[in-house]
Amino acid sequence: AARGWTWWQPAGVTSAPVGIATLPSVTAASRASLFAGSAKSGSQSTEKPDFAGHAALRRSVTGGRAPILFHKGELGTGNVLAPEVRQRIGDRQQRVVGAVVNAVDDWLDRSDQVLPRWSVAAVPLLESLLQEAALAGRAVAVLSDHGHLLDRDTTMQRGGESARWRSVSTGPVTAGEVVATGPRVRAVTGQDAVVLAWSESLRYTGKKTGYHGGAAPQE
């Protein structure tokens, strides 16, 4: 609000809308599914064409300019946006521009000795994106493909595919775990069933600042 932005939401809604991440709630599944609009696993190489071809987003296309997505490494450095990113945001014929900032996810892999006070200013590229968007008169949707939980006296259990999920073949389900099955799980993992950590105290990989991939509500 201090920067002149107004929060828009559907009439009658009193809080920010919430989506459900894929299970497991890992980036390769949740982010790929977010940009595709359907459950799948992918990478940066699949996210760009999926975003550009998203049927709902393409309804706003003018001048033949399909939705375009920039990943973190393409945005720029510090608080200076790359020239192409600025040009696309400023182009009124380019109706949809996506940008993957990834600041929180990157922080989870680093030291737990620093606890940032999250704000727009704490993420310089986000601040620059908002400035360019304001100049162009754009609406901005800020969202995440999954959540996370912080490390608080977690216990490591070996055998995980990732920090918070594992294959059913690695052992029986124990306290703090739950089995997830179904077509959406199969679409993102290629497995009929996976074991997810629902307890906040459980992890399958080395200690980090925080984790995601499991079935805790925060994730």
Side-chain angles (χ1 to χ4, degrees):
R3 289 170 168 77
W5 289 93
T6 300
W7 183 7
W8 286 59
Q9 62 188 28
V13 175
T14 59
S15 60
V18 176
I20 303 300
T22 60
L23 296 176
S25 56
V26 290
T27 300
S30 284
R31 201 168 76 188
S33 299
L34 172 68
F35 290 137
S38 60
K40 67 176 295 183
S41 182
S43 63
Q44 292 188 13
S45 62
T46 63
E47 289 167 2
K48 284 179 176 289
D50 285 344
F51 189 74
H54 196 296
L57 297 179
R58 290 189 67 88
R59 286 200 290 268
S60 66
V61 167
T62 59
R65 291 176 173 82
I68 187 170
L69 179 66
F70 294 99
H71 286 93
K72 182 183 65 173
E74 302 170 307
L75 294 179
T77 57
N79 63 350
V80 180
L81 293 179
E84 185 183 2
V85 178
R86 295 184 61 190
Q87 185 271 324
R88 294 284 190 165
I89 294 175
D91 182 357
R92 293 184 179 273
Q93 295 295 308
Q94 182 69 59
R95 300 296 302 279
V96 181
V97 180
V100 179
V101 178
N102 218 48
V104 177
D105 227 2
D106 286 350
W107 172 72
L108 295 179
D109 288 334
R110 290 176 170 78
S111 171
D112 60 358
Q113 297 183 60
V114 177
L115 293 175
R117 178 172 295 180
W118 291 109
S119 66
V120 174
V123 188
L125 280 175
L126 175 59
E127 187 164 37
S128 297
L129 287 166
L130 289 172
Q131 289 174 350
E132 291 296 325
L135 291 173
R138 289 184 178 270
V140 175
V142 181
L143 49 88
S144 176
D145 55 318
H146 60 73
H148 67 275
L149 54 87
L150 298 178
D151 184 274
R152 292 191 178 91
D153 298 322
T154 57
T155 300
M156 179 174 160
Q157 178 176 308
R158 298 189 181 278
E161 301 280 346
S162 185
R164 295 271 295 164
W165 77 278
R166 64 181 179 85
S167 171
V168 293
S169 63
T170 58
V173 179
T174 62
E177 297 180 318
V178 64
V179 175
T181 64
R184 288 174 60 84
V185 170
R186 191 178 306 110
V188 300
T189 66
Q191 302 181 36
D192 292 330
V194 296
V195 178
L196 307 171
W198 64 259
S199 169
E200 298 175 35
S201 64
L202 182 63
R203 57 182 165 85
Y204 303 118
T205 55
K207 185 177 183 299
K208 295 182 179 180
T209 301
Y211 317 95
H212 59 90
Q218 301 96 305
E219 296 165 282

